[in-house]
């Protein structure tokens, strides 16, 4: 079984500042990792995924994440945030067999002017 | 544009009503999922269908009854729900239940917001 920990329930940041949302996972097997974003009153949209290959993964809307196997982390970063990035961000893990997802509790990113 | 369509977007029902939630995708995906999401919480998996057969039931109460009439449609039939069942119900689909060569993760719909009076 896998688990995901998102330590920060809420991250406030000013517009144009950089941001990092933290994600750590636990698993006894190889995993795939994902970040999803959820805007108010919407479903989940995939930001980026790590399946294999380069540990630095680039996603949509200027986000990127780095897979660190030794630290079992998959932190999400953006060099300069916009007001429109205000949303809930979920880190998720899947084993390499079945495509079912285990989600972290989510981090609310609050961008203010 | 979301490629997974859920109807209705909002539903208010009494505890004695019977209603259904619908989900449709035309991406040729063979795995479809129902999730329940309470406010400020992550989605919780309820059911998974693979090739139109129920593969996973996460011990969901029988007042929720899923149905997959064909590979593009997924329904969730609701009966005698409780106030604590009020939540956002999300549908998702993926190429297959097992990871394969294409390795694409789940696509989500925008959900049905359900309120039980």
């Amino acid at each position: 079984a896998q688990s995901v920990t998102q330590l920060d329930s809420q991250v406030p940041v000013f517009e144009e500042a950089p941001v990092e949302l933290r994600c750590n996972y636990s698993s006894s097997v190889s995993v795939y990792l994902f970040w999803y974003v959820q805007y108010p009153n919407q479903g989940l949209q995939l930001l980026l995924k790590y399946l294999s290959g380069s540990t630095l993964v680039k996603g949509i809307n200027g986000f990127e994440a780095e897979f660190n196997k030794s630290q079992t982390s998959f932190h999400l970063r953006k060099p300069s945030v916009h007001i429109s990035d205000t949303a809930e961000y979920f880190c998720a893990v899947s084993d390499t067999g079945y495509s079912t997802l285990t989600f972290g509790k989510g981090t609310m990113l609050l961008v203010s002017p | 544009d979301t490629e997974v369509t859920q109807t209705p977007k909002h539903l208010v029902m009494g505890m004695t009503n019977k209603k259904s939630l619908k989900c449709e995708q035309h991406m040729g995906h063979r795995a479809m999922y129902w999730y329940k999401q309470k406010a400020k919480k992550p989605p919780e998996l309820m059911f998974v269908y693979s090739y139109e057969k129920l593969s996973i039931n996460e011990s969901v109460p029988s007042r929720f009854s899923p149905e997959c009439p064909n590979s593009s449609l997924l329904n969730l039939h609701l009966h005698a729900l409780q106030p604590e069942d009020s939540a956002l119900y999300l549908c998702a689909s993926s190429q297959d239940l097992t990871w394969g060569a294409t390795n694409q993760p789940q696509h989500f719909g925008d959900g049905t917001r359900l309120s039980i009076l």
Side-chain angles (χ1 to χ4, degrees), chain B:
Chain B
D1 289 340
T2 183
E3 296 168 308
V4 177
T5 303
Q6 292 187 242
T7 55
K9 292 193 183 303
H10 302 276
L11 179 62
V12 179
M13 57 187 286
M15 289 190 284
T16 58
N17 292 155
K18 286 185 181 181
K19 296 286 186 184
S20 296
L21 309 185
K22 296 185 184 302
C23 174
E24 189 168 5
Q25 57 87 16
H26 294 288
M27 295 177 283
H29 289 174
R30 304 315 299 263
M32 297 186 76
Y33 310 74
W34 279 117
Y35 289 87
K36 173 184 178 180
Q37 186 181 25
K38 301 284 278 185
K40 309 293 185 187
K41 300 289 186 184
E44 297 174 5
L45 185 64
M46 300 173 72
F47 303 104
V48 183
Y49 273 81
S50 177
Y51 290 84
E52 302 161 44
K53 294 193 186 310
L54 184 63
S55 295
I56 297 175
N57 177 343
E58 294 285 3
S59 303
V60 179
S62 59
R63 58 185 184 269
F64 295 91
S65 176
E67 178 196 22
C68 190
N70 61 58
S71 59
S72 299
L73 292 174
L74 185 66
N75 298 321
L76 186 63
H77 303 298
L78 314 173
H79 174 55
L81 295 194
Q82 304 298 308
E84 61 265 25
D85 297 322
S86 297
L88 180 68
Y89 287 84
L90 293 165
C91 174
S93 70
S94 65
Q95 191 94 16
D96 204 316
L97 181 54
T98 55
W99 288 104
T102 55
N103 287 343
Q104 294 302 317
Q106 295 173 29
H107 292 249
F108 284 81
D110 282 339
T112 294
R113 189 161 298 281
L114 177 65
S115 297
I116 307 300
L117 301 179

